[in-house]
Amino acid sequence: MIEIKNLSRSFGGIKAVDDISFTVSSGYITGFLGPNGAGKTTTMRMMVGYLQPDSGSILLNQESIFEDPIRTSKSIGYLPENNPLYDDMVTIEILQYLAALRKLDKAFFTRRVDYVVDSCGLKGVLYQKVGTLSKGYRQRVGLAIAIFHDPEILILDEPTSGLDPNQILEIRNLIRKLGEQKTVLLSSHIMQEVQALCDRVIIINKGKIIVDDEIDQLDTYLKGIQLLHLELEGEDVDLTEFLEYHPELSLEHYEHENEHHKLQIKVPSDLDIKPNLSRYITERGWLITSLYMQKQSLEEIFHDLTQEDTIPGIIAAEELEEPGSESDKLESDIDPEDTKGEEG
Amino acid sequence: MKAIWTIARKEYQLAMRAVTTYIVFTLFLVISGAGFASAVFKIQLAELRSVYDIINLLFVFFIPAITMGSIAKERSSGTIELLSTLPIHLSDIVWGKILSAFWQVLTLLSFVLIYLGVIMVFGENIDYGVIVLGFLGLVMVALAYVSIGVFASSLSSNQVLAFVIALAISGFFYVIRYLLGLMPLRIVRYLQWFSFEYHLSGFLKGVLDVRDVLFFAAITLIFAFLATFKLQSQNMMQER
């Protein structure tokens, strides 16, 4: 388990990581999500000890990672951003070199080579120069290095960046497999990736955590903000009565041109309002020309959350204490105008 | 300690695979060989003193060329991140790099044995003590230059810049001797102490002075320490 407490780091005048706290629990795959420049890499670099934080602490199993750095680096496997490798070395040489620096014994080395060749699919490239490998294979070599010494914690900085869809699937499967036994923290700026892989997601932007929640929770919150788009034709269209009867609905937008009416209604995710609504409308002799539900995609949520300027009340990490209350707060903070903008 | 050897061995092996190493080696041997030829065949002296002088000058240019990539390349390719998150000390990296460059220089110097062979075959009244001590002096001065080069390489990710900085620092230690004539006598006494030439001349004359050995050892240690400090200033974790 890794605990991050009030971690800060700036470069020059820019605060790359601004007083963040979170926990990566054992046996989970945690996704670290944020746009480029959000502070993901800086945070991860501090967690592996490559960067020294300005303030705050990083605890690995209740002990500061700075206490005994040598021991810390034994229990962490790290895939750095852009996966730097020695291009003029052969794959097996790199593994041997790093194993020697890690002081792994021979029997363990042979066993692990077999394991990483098998799990990372390195069979064909074990005796090939790393500089000549395709990006997919490079990434696998990087992963092989990260898991080689069998660390309890894996920190992977954008493990699938720059890969083609097939390679992405392979790497994801591998990470999923690894996640069954190990604590994994991976960063990404791709929503689906985090959704597909992780149990937990931490969204970070401009050095601050804006969401720290289980992925399922994020899902309910996603459904919670669906928007009903309704277009009607008819005389004296008035839905006030219907809306009063359903207080959980709220009219977000209304415009009309002669007898053509356009409405947007915010609907809670667990409520299927369409049958009642269409019955109500047809009973009054109006004509529905268009009716559809717009679910806000994870992408849009991500966009909304990380575009501070378009959203008045960004949720600060400190406010997100209880998982239950989180989604409610998030809902109320989403600006419907923004979703409309997305659609148009 | 084992980590230093591992790093040094890997660096040396990689260097021996690179074409640039052989270009540097060839250039070095052509120039020093020309110096040797003119000393032995023109002036007809059965000694290596003049070759040693030339080699010492060549070191100022060639050792920075050998060391410039040592840490700068790790930095520019990002592999320094891989290396410094391993369970090793940052000083291991610096000493590994120094050792590997030093090995390369020793490989170069081993060709001096050919000159020695030529002298042994054709020369008379050879003073082996001077030749051996002079060689030892070259080894010592090479170590100091290597340490300076590795320090320069630790400063940035730009290899050319590393070369220029190493050349400037090494050049400073080399050139002091020629500047002494321009200095007031009072400071000459202190300043000449920093001259590599001043400390090397003892070796070349066949005199072994412990102070000279200590001087080169101290220069080596100081720059190795500075390089380590430079790495630590970015990554304080490894040796807190």
Side-chain angles (χ1 to χ4, degrees), chain A residues 45 49-50 65 69-70 73 78 84-86 88 93 97 100-102, chain B residues 6-7 10 17 74 77-81 84-87 234-237:
Chain A
R45 281 183 169 166
Y50 180 62
I65 63 162
I70 302 273
S73 59
Y78 177 44
L85 295 171
Y86 295 100
D88 35 13
E93 281 180 332
Y97 175 54
L101 289 177
R102 287 191 177 279
Chain B
T6 308
I7 291 171
K10 171 241 160 197
R17 276 186 220 167
E74 298 263 8
S77 70
T79 43
I80 188 81
E81 194 168 347
S84 52
T85 48
L86 289 172
Q234 273 135 342
N235 174 344
M236 301 290 281
M237 173 184 174

PDB file of all heavy atoms in Angstrom, chain A residues 45 49-50 65 69-70 73 78 84-86 88 93 97 100-102, chain B residues 6-7 10 17 74 77-81 84-87 234-237:
ATOM      1  N   ARG A  45       7.197  10.073 -10.540  1.00  0.00           N
ATOM      2  CA  ARG A  45       8.651  10.164 -10.348  1.00  0.00           C
ATOM      3  C   ARG A  45       8.994  10.330  -8.878  1.00  0.00           C
ATOM      4  O   ARG A  45       9.991   9.796  -8.402  1.00  0.00           O
ATOM      5  CB  ARG A  45       9.219  11.329 -11.148  1.00  0.00           C
ATOM      6  CG  ARG A  45       9.379  10.996 -12.607  1.00  0.00           C
ATOM      7  CD  ARG A  45      10.005  12.124 -13.364  1.00  0.00           C
ATOM      8  NE  ARG A  45      10.372  11.675 -14.696  1.00  0.00           N
ATOM      9  CZ  ARG A  45      10.702  12.488 -15.685  1.00  0.00           C
ATOM     10  NH1 ARG A  45      10.711  13.787 -15.477  1.00  0.00           N
ATOM     11  NH2 ARG A  45      11.014  12.016 -16.858  1.00  0.00           N
ATOM     12  N   GLY A  49      11.035   7.820  -6.289  1.00  0.00           N
ATOM     13  CA  GLY A  49      12.237   8.411  -5.726  1.00  0.00           C
ATOM     14  C   GLY A  49      13.156   9.044  -6.744  1.00  0.00           C
ATOM     15  O   GLY A  49      14.293   9.368  -6.439  1.00  0.00           O
ATOM     16  N   TYR A  50      12.679   9.224  -7.969  1.00  0.00           N
ATOM     17  CA  TYR A  50      13.536   9.880  -8.961  1.00  0.00           C
ATOM     18  C   TYR A  50      13.560  11.383  -8.732  1.00  0.00           C
ATOM     19  O   TYR A  50      14.524  12.051  -9.029  1.00  0.00           O
ATOM     20  CB  TYR A  50      13.047   9.543 -10.375  1.00  0.00           C
ATOM     21  CG  TYR A  50      13.862  10.181 -11.462  1.00  0.00           C
ATOM     22  CD1 TYR A  50      15.213   9.876 -11.607  1.00  0.00           C
ATOM     23  CD2 TYR A  50      13.297  11.086 -12.354  1.00  0.00           C
ATOM     24  CE1 TYR A  50      15.974  10.459 -12.596  1.00  0.00           C
ATOM     25  CE2 TYR A  50      14.057  11.670 -13.352  1.00  0.00           C
ATOM     26  CZ  TYR A  50      15.393  11.353 -13.466  1.00  0.00           C
ATOM     27  OH  TYR A  50      16.137  11.938 -14.455  1.00  0.00           O
ATOM     28  N   ILE A  65       9.398   6.249   1.952  1.00  0.00           N
ATOM     29  CA  ILE A  65      10.265   5.631   0.940  1.00  0.00           C
ATOM     30  C   ILE A  65      11.668   6.205   0.993  1.00  0.00           C
ATOM     31  O   ILE A  65      12.601   5.662   0.428  1.00  0.00           O
ATOM     32  CB  ILE A  65       9.698   5.781  -0.488  1.00  0.00           C
ATOM     33  CG1 ILE A  65       9.617   7.252  -0.902  1.00  0.00           C
ATOM     34  CG2 ILE A  65       8.352   5.117  -0.623  1.00  0.00           C
ATOM     35  CD1 ILE A  65       9.479   7.427  -2.394  1.00  0.00           C
ATOM     36  N   PRO A  69      16.029   3.978   0.812  1.00  0.00           N
ATOM     37  CA  PRO A  69      15.743   4.034  -0.620  1.00  0.00           C
ATOM     38  C   PRO A  69      16.106   2.756  -1.365  1.00  0.00           C
ATOM     39  O   PRO A  69      15.406   2.344  -2.289  1.00  0.00           O
ATOM     40  CB  PRO A  69      16.619   5.185  -1.124  1.00  0.00           C
ATOM     41  CG  PRO A  69      17.192   5.837   0.048  1.00  0.00           C
ATOM     42  CD  PRO A  69      16.975   5.002   1.243  1.00  0.00           C
ATOM     43  N   ILE A  70      17.172   2.124  -0.927  1.00  0.00           N
ATOM     44  CA  ILE A  70      17.615   0.918  -1.625  1.00  0.00           C
ATOM     45  C   ILE A  70      16.562  -0.184  -1.493  1.00  0.00           C
ATOM     46  O   ILE A  70      16.207  -0.844  -2.459  1.00  0.00           O
ATOM     47  CB  ILE A  70      18.967   0.434  -1.048  1.00  0.00           C
ATOM     48  CG1 ILE A  70      20.028   1.540  -1.177  1.00  0.00           C
ATOM     49  CG2 ILE A  70      19.408  -0.853  -1.689  1.00  0.00           C
ATOM     50  CD1 ILE A  70      20.780   1.587  -2.467  1.00  0.00           C
ATOM     51  N   SER A  73      13.427   0.688  -3.597  1.00  0.00           N
ATOM     52  CA  SER A  73      13.496   0.436  -5.038  1.00  0.00           C
ATOM     53  C   SER A  73      13.464  -1.055  -5.354  1.00  0.00           C
ATOM     54  O   SER A  73      13.209  -1.449  -6.480  1.00  0.00           O
ATOM     55  CB  SER A  73      14.732   1.100  -5.646  1.00  0.00           C
ATOM     56  OG  SER A  73      15.890   0.623  -5.033  1.00  0.00           O
ATOM     57  N   TYR A  78       9.089  -0.018 -12.029  1.00  0.00           N
ATOM     58  CA  TYR A  78       8.749   1.282 -12.598  1.00  0.00           C
ATOM     59  C   TYR A  78       8.932   1.279 -14.111  1.00  0.00           C
ATOM     60  O   TYR A  78       9.978   0.865 -14.626  1.00  0.00           O
ATOM     61  CB  TYR A  78       9.668   2.339 -11.962  1.00  0.00           C
ATOM     62  CG  TYR A  78       9.510   3.745 -12.468  1.00  0.00           C
ATOM     63  CD1 TYR A  78       8.250   4.300 -12.676  1.00  0.00           C
ATOM     64  CD2 TYR A  78      10.629   4.533 -12.725  1.00  0.00           C
ATOM     65  CE1 TYR A  78       8.118   5.605 -13.127  1.00  0.00           C
ATOM     66  CE2 TYR A  78      10.501   5.840 -13.159  1.00  0.00           C
ATOM     67  CZ  TYR A  78       9.242   6.368 -13.362  1.00  0.00           C
ATOM     68  OH  TYR A  78       9.130   7.654 -13.808  1.00  0.00           O
ATOM     69  N   PRO A  84      12.412   4.773 -21.573  1.00  0.00           N
ATOM     70  CA  PRO A  84      13.800   4.877 -22.012  1.00  0.00           C
ATOM     71  C   PRO A  84      14.537   3.548 -21.900  1.00  0.00           C
ATOM     72  O   PRO A  84      14.453   2.869 -20.877  1.00  0.00           O
ATOM     73  CB  PRO A  84      14.395   5.906 -21.054  1.00  0.00           C
ATOM     74  CG  PRO A  84      13.554   5.821 -19.842  1.00  0.00           C
ATOM     75  CD  PRO A  84      12.180   5.444 -20.292  1.00  0.00           C
ATOM     76  N   LEU A  85      15.246   3.175 -22.958  1.00  0.00           N
ATOM     77  CA  LEU A  85      16.006   1.922 -22.969  1.00  0.00           C
ATOM     78  C   LEU A  85      17.353   2.158 -23.639  1.00  0.00           C
ATOM     79  O   LEU A  85      17.514   3.120 -24.384  1.00  0.00           O
ATOM     80  CB  LEU A  85      15.238   0.844 -23.752  1.00  0.00           C
ATOM     81  CG  LEU A  85      13.904   0.361 -23.197  1.00  0.00           C
ATOM     82  CD1 LEU A  85      13.206  -0.520 -24.209  1.00  0.00           C
ATOM     83  CD2 LEU A  85      14.101  -0.395 -21.898  1.00  0.00           C
ATOM     84  N   TYR A  86      18.287   1.260 -23.378  1.00  0.00           N
ATOM     85  CA  TYR A  86      19.589   1.361 -24.049  1.00  0.00           C
ATOM     86  C   TYR A  86      19.456   0.793 -25.453  1.00  0.00           C
ATOM     87  O   TYR A  86      19.404  -0.423 -25.643  1.00  0.00           O
ATOM     88  CB  TYR A  86      20.646   0.609 -23.249  1.00  0.00           C
ATOM     89  CG  TYR A  86      20.895   1.209 -21.903  1.00  0.00           C
ATOM     90  CD1 TYR A  86      20.319   0.677 -20.757  1.00  0.00           C
ATOM     91  CD2 TYR A  86      21.700   2.344 -21.770  1.00  0.00           C
ATOM     92  CE1 TYR A  86      20.527   1.247 -19.524  1.00  0.00           C
ATOM     93  CE2 TYR A  86      21.919   2.920 -20.533  1.00  0.00           C
ATOM     94  CZ  TYR A  86      21.330   2.365 -19.414  1.00  0.00           C
ATOM     95  OH  TYR A  86      21.529   2.924 -18.191  1.00  0.00           O
ATOM     96  N   ASP A  88      21.435   0.544 -27.964  1.00  0.00           N
ATOM     97  CA  ASP A  88      22.492  -0.257 -28.583  1.00  0.00           C
ATOM     98  C   ASP A  88      22.760  -1.570 -27.849  1.00  0.00           C
ATOM     99  O   ASP A  88      23.763  -2.217 -28.089  1.00  0.00           O
ATOM    100  CB  ASP A  88      23.789   0.564 -28.734  1.00  0.00           C
ATOM    101  CG  ASP A  88      23.975   1.531 -27.581  1.00  0.00           C
ATOM    102  OD1 ASP A  88      23.246   1.373 -26.590  1.00  0.00           O
ATOM    103  OD2 ASP A  88      24.839   2.418 -27.660  1.00  0.00           O
ATOM    104  N   GLU A  93      20.615  -8.623 -22.910  1.00  0.00           N
ATOM    105  CA  GLU A  93      21.716  -7.907 -22.239  1.00  0.00           C
ATOM    106  C   GLU A  93      21.180  -6.891 -21.239  1.00  0.00           C
ATOM    107  O   GLU A  93      21.709  -6.749 -20.139  1.00  0.00           O
ATOM    108  CB  GLU A  93      22.577  -7.162 -23.259  1.00  0.00           C
ATOM    109  CG  GLU A  93      23.560  -8.032 -23.991  1.00  0.00           C
ATOM    110  CD  GLU A  93      24.381  -7.218 -24.983  1.00  0.00           C
ATOM    111  OE1 GLU A  93      23.883  -6.186 -25.476  1.00  0.00           O
ATOM    112  OE2 GLU A  93      25.506  -7.616 -25.261  1.00  0.00           O
ATOM    113  N   TYR A  97      21.953  -6.925 -17.434  1.00  0.00           N
ATOM    114  CA  TYR A  97      22.594  -5.745 -16.840  1.00  0.00           C
ATOM    115  C   TYR A  97      21.817  -5.268 -15.613  1.00  0.00           C
ATOM    116  O   TYR A  97      22.371  -5.095 -14.520  1.00  0.00           O
ATOM    117  CB  TYR A  97      22.674  -4.655 -17.901  1.00  0.00           C
ATOM    118  CG  TYR A  97      23.202  -3.321 -17.445  1.00  0.00           C
ATOM    119  CD1 TYR A  97      24.424  -3.206 -16.803  1.00  0.00           C
ATOM    120  CD2 TYR A  97      22.479  -2.155 -17.692  1.00  0.00           C
ATOM    121  CE1 TYR A  97      24.917  -1.981 -16.415  1.00  0.00           C
ATOM    122  CE2 TYR A  97      22.962  -0.919 -17.307  1.00  0.00           C
ATOM    123  CZ  TYR A  97      24.179  -0.839 -16.657  1.00  0.00           C
ATOM    124  OH  TYR A  97      24.651   0.387 -16.270  1.00  0.00           O
ATOM    125  N   ALA A 100      21.934  -7.684 -12.785  1.00  0.00           N
ATOM    126  CA  ALA A 100      23.215  -7.619 -12.066  1.00  0.00           C
ATOM    127  C   ALA A 100      23.221  -6.431 -11.113  1.00  0.00           C
ATOM    128  O   ALA A 100      23.682  -6.537  -9.979  1.00  0.00           O
ATOM    129  CB  ALA A 100      24.362  -7.509 -13.057  1.00  0.00           C
ATOM    130  N   LEU A 101      22.669  -5.290 -11.587  1.00  0.00           N
ATOM    131  CA  LEU A 101      22.632  -4.118 -10.720  1.00  0.00           C
ATOM    132  C   LEU A 101      21.671  -4.322  -9.559  1.00  0.00           C
ATOM    133  O   LEU A 101      21.834  -3.741  -8.494  1.00  0.00           O
ATOM    134  CB  LEU A 101      22.243  -2.874 -11.519  1.00  0.00           C
ATOM    135  CG  LEU A 101      23.311  -2.353 -12.486  1.00  0.00           C
ATOM    136  CD1 LEU A 101      22.794  -1.167 -13.273  1.00  0.00           C
ATOM    137  CD2 LEU A 101      24.576  -1.962 -11.742  1.00  0.00           C
ATOM    138  N   ARG A 102      20.663  -5.149  -9.779  1.00  0.00           N
ATOM    139  CA  ARG A 102      19.728  -5.453  -8.696  1.00  0.00           C
ATOM    140  C   ARG A 102      20.225  -6.597  -7.830  1.00  0.00           C
ATOM    141  O   ARG A 102      19.539  -7.005  -6.897  1.00  0.00           O
ATOM    142  CB  ARG A 102      18.350  -5.812  -9.263  1.00  0.00           C
ATOM    143  CG  ARG A 102      17.592  -4.621  -9.816  1.00  0.00           C
ATOM    144  CD  ARG A 102      16.156  -4.979 -10.110  1.00  0.00           C
ATOM    145  NE  ARG A 102      15.416  -3.828 -10.578  1.00  0.00           N
ATOM    146  CZ  ARG A 102      14.914  -2.890  -9.784  1.00  0.00           C
ATOM    147  NH1 ARG A 102      15.051  -3.017  -8.487  1.00  0.00           N
ATOM    148  NH2 ARG A 102      14.270  -1.867 -10.291  1.00  0.00           N
TER     149      ARG A 102
ATOM    150  N   THR B   6      29.749  -3.612 -12.604  1.00  0.00           N
ATOM    151  CA  THR B   6      28.723  -3.959 -13.592  1.00  0.00           C
ATOM    152  C   THR B   6      28.533  -2.820 -14.585  1.00  0.00           C
ATOM    153  O   THR B   6      28.508  -3.032 -15.798  1.00  0.00           O
ATOM    154  CB  THR B   6      27.392  -4.248 -12.868  1.00  0.00           C
ATOM    155  OG1 THR B   6      27.627  -5.205 -11.846  1.00  0.00           O
ATOM    156  CG2 THR B   6      26.357  -4.780 -13.840  1.00  0.00           C
ATOM    157  N   ILE B   7      28.421  -1.607 -14.042  1.00  0.00           N
ATOM    158  CA  ILE B   7      28.219  -0.452 -14.917  1.00  0.00           C
ATOM    159  C   ILE B   7      29.443  -0.247 -15.815  1.00  0.00           C
ATOM    160  O   ILE B   7      29.330  -0.074 -17.027  1.00  0.00           O
ATOM    161  CB  ILE B   7      27.948   0.818 -14.073  1.00  0.00           C
ATOM    162  CG1 ILE B   7      26.589   0.705 -13.387  1.00  0.00           C
ATOM    163  CG2 ILE B   7      27.980   2.066 -14.948  1.00  0.00           C
ATOM    164  CD1 ILE B   7      26.313   1.797 -12.373  1.00  0.00           C
ATOM    165  N   LYS B  10      29.691  -2.894 -18.608  1.00  0.00           N
ATOM    166  CA  LYS B  10      28.704  -2.678 -19.663  1.00  0.00           C
ATOM    167  C   LYS B  10      29.081  -1.482 -20.535  1.00  0.00           C
ATOM    168  O   LYS B  10      29.035  -1.545 -21.756  1.00  0.00           O
ATOM    169  CB  LYS B  10      27.326  -2.488 -19.025  1.00  0.00           C
ATOM    170  CG  LYS B  10      26.246  -2.042 -19.972  1.00  0.00           C
ATOM    171  CD  LYS B  10      25.709  -0.710 -19.538  1.00  0.00           C
ATOM    172  CE  LYS B  10      24.998   0.006 -20.646  1.00  0.00           C
ATOM    173  NZ  LYS B  10      24.837   1.398 -20.351  1.00  0.00           N
ATOM    174  N   ARG B  17      31.983  -1.424 -28.994  1.00  0.00           N
ATOM    175  CA  ARG B  17      31.173  -1.776 -30.155  1.00  0.00           C
ATOM    176  C   ARG B  17      30.940  -0.570 -31.056  1.00  0.00           C
ATOM    177  O   ARG B  17      30.488  -0.707 -32.172  1.00  0.00           O
ATOM    178  CB  ARG B  17      29.791  -2.257 -29.700  1.00  0.00           C
ATOM    179  CG  ARG B  17      29.743  -3.698 -29.316  1.00  0.00           C
ATOM    180  CD  ARG B  17      28.298  -4.044 -29.044  1.00  0.00           C
ATOM    181  NE  ARG B  17      28.192  -4.910 -27.900  1.00  0.00           N
ATOM    182  CZ  ARG B  17      27.052  -5.174 -27.293  1.00  0.00           C
ATOM    183  NH1 ARG B  17      25.944  -4.601 -27.705  1.00  0.00           N
ATOM    184  NH2 ARG B  17      27.019  -5.983 -26.271  1.00  0.00           N
ATOM    185  N   GLU B  74      22.960   9.237 -20.970  1.00  0.00           N
ATOM    186  CA  GLU B  74      21.937   8.628 -20.115  1.00  0.00           C
ATOM    187  C   GLU B  74      20.814   9.630 -19.870  1.00  0.00           C
ATOM    188  O   GLU B  74      19.647   9.276 -19.780  1.00  0.00           O
ATOM    189  CB  GLU B  74      22.536   8.241 -18.754  1.00  0.00           C
ATOM    190  CG  GLU B  74      23.633   7.216 -18.829  1.00  0.00           C
ATOM    191  CD  GLU B  74      23.153   5.803 -18.555  1.00  0.00           C
ATOM    192  OE1 GLU B  74      21.935   5.596 -18.446  1.00  0.00           O
ATOM    193  OE2 GLU B  74      24.012   4.911 -18.467  1.00  0.00           O
ATOM    194  N   SER B  77      18.780  10.295 -23.271  1.00  0.00           N
ATOM    195  CA  SER B  77      17.917   9.182 -23.662  1.00  0.00           C
ATOM    196  C   SER B  77      16.922   8.835 -22.561  1.00  0.00           C
ATOM    197  O   SER B  77      16.018   8.039 -22.765  1.00  0.00           O
ATOM    198  CB  SER B  77      18.760   7.949 -24.002  1.00  0.00           C
ATOM    199  OG  SER B  77      19.326   7.431 -22.829  1.00  0.00           O
ATOM    200  N   GLY B  78      17.089   9.425 -21.396  1.00  0.00           N
ATOM    201  CA  GLY B  78      16.151   9.182 -20.303  1.00  0.00           C
ATOM    202  C   GLY B  78      16.486   7.964 -19.469  1.00  0.00           C
ATOM    203  O   GLY B  78      15.830   7.685 -18.472  1.00  0.00           O
ATOM    204  N   THR B  79      17.524   7.215 -19.869  1.00  0.00           N
ATOM    205  CA  THR B  79      17.842   5.989 -19.139  1.00  0.00           C
ATOM    206  C   THR B  79      18.376   6.274 -17.738  1.00  0.00           C
ATOM    207  O   THR B  79      18.421   5.379 -16.901  1.00  0.00           O
ATOM    208  CB  THR B  79      18.876   5.138 -19.903  1.00  0.00           C
ATOM    209  OG1 THR B  79      19.892   5.999 -20.410  1.00  0.00           O
ATOM    210  CG2 THR B  79      18.224   4.402 -21.045  1.00  0.00           C
ATOM    211  N   ILE B  80      18.756   7.530 -17.489  1.00  0.00           N
ATOM    212  CA  ILE B  80      19.217   7.896 -16.143  1.00  0.00           C
ATOM    213  C   ILE B  80      18.078   7.652 -15.137  1.00  0.00           C
ATOM    214  O   ILE B  80      18.317   7.297 -13.979  1.00  0.00           O
ATOM    215  CB  ILE B  80      19.686   9.374 -16.102  1.00  0.00           C
ATOM    216  CG1 ILE B  80      20.358   9.731 -14.782  1.00  0.00           C
ATOM    217  CG2 ILE B  80      18.555  10.349 -16.376  1.00  0.00           C
ATOM    218  CD1 ILE B  80      21.788   9.315 -14.687  1.00  0.00           C
ATOM    219  N   GLU B  81      16.846   7.788 -15.616  1.00  0.00           N
ATOM    220  CA  GLU B  81      15.681   7.557 -14.761  1.00  0.00           C
ATOM    221  C   GLU B  81      15.596   6.085 -14.366  1.00  0.00           C
ATOM    222  O   GLU B  81      15.279   5.747 -13.228  1.00  0.00           O
ATOM    223  CB  GLU B  81      14.414   7.991 -15.515  1.00  0.00           C
ATOM    224  CG  GLU B  81      13.204   8.121 -14.643  1.00  0.00           C
ATOM    225  CD  GLU B  81      12.066   8.822 -15.343  1.00  0.00           C
ATOM    226  OE1 GLU B  81      12.289   9.428 -16.405  1.00  0.00           O
ATOM    227  OE2 GLU B  81      10.944   8.756 -14.824  1.00  0.00           O
ATOM    228  N   SER B  84      18.742   5.443 -12.007  1.00  0.00           N
ATOM    229  CA  SER B  84      18.770   6.007 -10.660  1.00  0.00           C
ATOM    230  C   SER B  84      17.588   5.540  -9.811  1.00  0.00           C
ATOM    231  O   SER B  84      17.500   5.898  -8.648  1.00  0.00           O
ATOM    232  CB  SER B  84      18.836   7.534 -10.710  1.00  0.00           C
ATOM    233  OG  SER B  84      17.837   8.031 -11.528  1.00  0.00           O
ATOM    234  N   THR B  85      16.697   4.732 -10.380  1.00  0.00           N
ATOM    235  CA  THR B  85      15.659   4.144  -9.537  1.00  0.00           C
ATOM    236  C   THR B  85      15.992   2.686  -9.196  1.00  0.00           C
ATOM    237  O   THR B  85      15.165   1.969  -8.646  1.00  0.00           O
ATOM    238  CB  THR B  85      14.273   4.217 -10.205  1.00  0.00           C
ATOM    239  OG1 THR B  85      14.363   3.755 -11.544  1.00  0.00           O
ATOM    240  CG2 THR B  85      13.765   5.632 -10.220  1.00  0.00           C
ATOM    241  N   LEU B  86      17.195   2.273  -9.534  1.00  0.00           N
ATOM    242  CA  LEU B  86      17.645   0.931  -9.157  1.00  0.00           C
ATOM    243  C   LEU B  86      18.199   0.969  -7.732  1.00  0.00           C
ATOM    244  O   LEU B  86      18.564   2.042  -7.243  1.00  0.00           O
ATOM    245  CB  LEU B  86      18.752   0.466 -10.107  1.00  0.00           C
ATOM    246  CG  LEU B  86      18.332   0.116 -11.539  1.00  0.00           C
ATOM    247  CD1 LEU B  86      19.563  -0.124 -12.384  1.00  0.00           C
ATOM    248  CD2 LEU B  86      17.432  -1.091 -11.570  1.00  0.00           C
ATOM    249  N   PRO B  87      18.266  -0.183  -7.088  1.00  0.00           N
ATOM    250  CA  PRO B  87      18.822  -0.177  -5.724  1.00  0.00           C
ATOM    251  C   PRO B  87      20.346  -0.035  -5.718  1.00  0.00           C
ATOM    252  O   PRO B  87      21.066  -0.919  -5.251  1.00  0.00           O
ATOM    253  CB  PRO B  87      18.373  -1.521  -5.154  1.00  0.00           C
ATOM    254  CG  PRO B  87      18.116  -2.382  -6.326  1.00  0.00           C
ATOM    255  CD  PRO B  87      17.755  -1.508  -7.462  1.00  0.00           C
ATOM    256  N   GLN B 234      19.454  16.435  -8.215  1.00  0.00           N
ATOM    257  CA  GLN B 234      18.163  16.166  -8.840  1.00  0.00           C
ATOM    258  C   GLN B 234      17.443  15.023  -8.156  1.00  0.00           C
ATOM    259  O   GLN B 234      16.240  14.977  -8.101  1.00  0.00           O
ATOM    260  CB  GLN B 234      18.365  15.806 -10.313  1.00  0.00           C
ATOM    261  CG  GLN B 234      18.403  17.026 -11.169  1.00  0.00           C
ATOM    262  CD  GLN B 234      19.522  16.957 -12.157  1.00  0.00           C
ATOM    263  OE1 GLN B 234      20.450  16.174 -12.005  1.00  0.00           O
ATOM    264  NE2 GLN B 234      19.439  17.775 -13.168  1.00  0.00           N
ATOM    265  N   ASN B 235      18.214  14.090  -7.695  1.00  0.00           N
ATOM    266  CA  ASN B 235      17.617  12.917  -7.079  1.00  0.00           C
ATOM    267  C   ASN B 235      18.239  12.726  -5.711  1.00  0.00           C
ATOM    268  O   ASN B 235      19.311  12.188  -5.579  1.00  0.00           O
ATOM    269  CB  ASN B 235      17.895  11.712  -7.974  1.00  0.00           C
ATOM    270  CG  ASN B 235      17.439  10.436  -7.346  1.00  0.00           C
ATOM    271  OD1 ASN B 235      17.185  10.375  -6.148  1.00  0.00           O
ATOM    272  ND2 ASN B 235      17.330   9.406  -8.130  1.00  0.00           N
ATOM    273  N   MET B 236      17.544  13.222  -4.701  1.00  0.00           N
ATOM    274  CA  MET B 236      18.118  13.194  -3.366  1.00  0.00           C
ATOM    275  C   MET B 236      17.829  11.888  -2.653  1.00  0.00           C
ATOM    276  O   MET B 236      18.341  11.623  -1.595  1.00  0.00           O
ATOM    277  CB  MET B 236      17.568  14.345  -2.527  1.00  0.00           C
ATOM    278  CG  MET B 236      17.838  15.689  -3.112  1.00  0.00           C
ATOM    279  SD  MET B 236      19.578  16.119  -3.030  1.00  0.00           S
ATOM    280  CE  MET B 236      19.710  16.615  -1.326  1.00  0.00           C
ATOM    281  N   MET B 237      17.002  11.076  -3.274  1.00  0.00           N
ATOM    282  CA  MET B 237      16.522   9.926  -2.527  1.00  0.00           C
ATOM    283  C   MET B 237      17.596   8.890  -2.239  1.00  0.00           C
ATOM    284  O   MET B 237      17.704   8.400  -1.129  1.00  0.00           O
ATOM    285  CB  MET B 237      15.420   9.263  -3.328  1.00  0.00           C
ATOM    286  CG  MET B 237      14.981   7.971  -2.717  1.00  0.00           C
ATOM    287  SD  MET B 237      13.782   7.211  -3.756  1.00  0.00           S
ATOM    288  CE  MET B 237      13.582   5.668  -2.931  1.00  0.00           C
TER     289      MET B 237
END
